[in-house]
Amino acid sequence: MTKVTYISSEEKITTIEVDNGLTVMEGAVQNDIQGIDADCGGGMACATCHVYVKDDWYDKIPKKTDGEEDMLDMAFEPNEFSRLSCQITVTDELDGLIVKLPSKQG
Ligand code: FES
């Protein structure tokens, strides 16, 4: 189990324990975190699981694929810390990960 903190666009902070092997998106959906709709179910085809990774964590998570990069171009207000949460698999190394949700999502 790995702790992941989700911060809503209104600064509501929710920390949950996510099973290793699940994605940050799956952890959010299973725990009713508002703002991660994950319309495509993790298929990298919707960008409704877009998050901003807290800056000091950004370099600690595995790099984006080109496909993720392309989909992020279609996300709402992407920035240099943007990731698709369905593409971040939770591991022990990510214990304490913090992600923020874009304003259009929650
Ligand atoms: S859930 Fe659709 S791109 Fe992540």
Side-chain angles (χ1 to χ4, degrees):
M1 294 284 245
T2 295
K3 279 199 177 67
V4 179
T5 296
Y6 300 81
I7 305 177
S8 77
S9 60
E10 286 155 1
E11 303 295 327
K12 180 170 175 261
I13 297 171
T14 310
T15 300
I16 57 175
E17 302 238 348
V18 180
D19 284 332
N20 288 353
L22 294 181
T23 64
V24 172
M25 173 279 275
E26 289 168 326
V29 169
Q30 288 180 3
N31 289 279
D32 294 325
I33 301 288
Q34 300 292 306
I36 295 190
D37 292 344
D39 290 340
C40 78
M44 213 162 69
C46 71
T48 62
C49 66
H50 172 211
V51 296
Y52 304 117
V53 176
K54 182 95 172 128
D55 44 6
D56 45 348
W57 278 101
Y58 189 81
D59 290 332
K60 295 182 187 151
I61 57 179
K63 303 268 171 280
K64 294 182 269 215
T65 61
D66 290 346
E68 182 179 350
E69 186 83 60
D70 290 347
M71 192 48 62
L72 280 168
D73 286 342
M74 286 176 236
F76 178 71
E77 294 184 345
N79 72 18
E80 62 193 300
F81 299 110
S82 290
R83 291 296 305 259
L84 295 178
S85 59
C86 69
Q87 301 302 306
I88 306 172
T89 301
V90 172
T91 61
D92 285 341
E93 288 69 44
L94 297 189
D95 192 37
L97 178 68
I98 300 170
V99 298
K100 186 157 186 199
L101 307 182
S103 60
K104 276 253 173 89
Q105 287 173 214

